[in-house]
């Protein structure tokens, strides 16, 4: 093998290594990154429940939806199902008792939930007094539900 062929082989090996590294990162590497909780967009409200805490961290009100973000710390989702209800001035907005959103597992017994409620069918004013009721419903009988109520005034974002 002459010098020119050696340079081509080395260049090909380097390109293959870089390509494989990029493929590994996008297929596996990003999964290894620890998930992060989004920054709060409201003043954080904290409630102590049994052996843990529930924090309301985010709230958003737009023309078509209400979205809340809350942190649950200190109890396992194997022991409790978490439900979220939304009220405006005491009137129920969410009909199901649980909102479609997302879940980020931050650590063992530490989670961030996103509650999302479509309100296209609900006639709400431009400013609402939102009450967020978060309940940990125990999977075993004999345990009591864990409930935290939060109030936040929201103006509709355009």
């Amino acid at each position: 093998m002459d010098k020119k062929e050696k340079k081509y082989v080395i260049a090909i090996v380097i390109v293959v290594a870089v390509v494989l590294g990029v493929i590994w990162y996008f297929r596996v590497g990003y999964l290894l990154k620890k998930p992060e909780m989004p920054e709060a967009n409201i003043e954080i409200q904290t409630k102590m429940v049994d052996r843990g805490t529930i924090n309301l961290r985010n709230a958003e009100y737009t023309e078509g939806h209400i979205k809340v973000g809350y942190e649950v710390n200190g109890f396992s989702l194997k022991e409790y199902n978490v439900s979220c209800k939304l009220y405006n001035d005491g009137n129920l907005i969410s009909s199901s008792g649980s909102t479609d959103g997302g879940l980020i597992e931050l650590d063992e017994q530490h989670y961030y939930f996103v509650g999302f409620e479509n309100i296209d069918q609900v006639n709400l004013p431009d400013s609402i007094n939102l009450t967020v009721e978060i309940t940990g419903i125990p999977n075993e009988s004999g345990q009591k539900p864990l409930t935290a109520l939060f109030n936040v005034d929201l103006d509709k974002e355009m």
Side-chain angles (χ1 to χ4, degrees), residues 76-133:
S76 169
L77 294 185
K78 294 176 184 169
E79 298 172 341
Y80 292 89
N81 292 314
V82 177
S83 155
C84 177
K85 291 183 183 178
L86 305 175
Y87 300 86
N88 177 40
D89 288 328
N91 298 313
L92 186 65
I93 297 171
S94 61
S95 57
S96 65
S98 100
T99 51
D100 294 328
L103 165 70
I104 299 172
E105 188 169 350
L106 300 165
D107 244 335
E108 186 177 334
Q109 297 188 359
H110 189 194
Y111 311 93
Y112 180 79
F113 290 88
V114 176
F116 184 88
E117 186 68 35
N118 286 318
I119 56 169
D120 294 327
Q121 307 295 327
V122 182
N123 187 19
L124 294 174
D126 288 342
S127 292
I128 61 173
N129 178 12
L130 183 69
T131 299
V132 180
E133 178 184 290

Side-chain angles (χ1 to χ4, degrees), residues 43-87:
E43 185 176 327
I44 298 171
Q45 298 178 39
T46 301
K47 302 287 179 165
M48 303 298 284
V49 289
D50 196 23
R51 60 186 178 270
T53 59
I54 300 175
N55 302 310
L56 183 65
R57 299 180 54 86
N58 293 287
E60 179 183 296
Y61 171 39
T62 64
E63 187 67 38
H65 73 269
I66 296 175
K67 184 174 162 182
V68 294
Y70 52 96
E71 174 186 15
V72 175
N73 195 359
F75 54 92
S76 169
L77 294 185
K78 294 176 184 169
E79 298 172 341
Y80 292 89
N81 292 314
V82 177
S83 155
C84 177
K85 291 183 183 178
L86 305 175
Y87 300 86

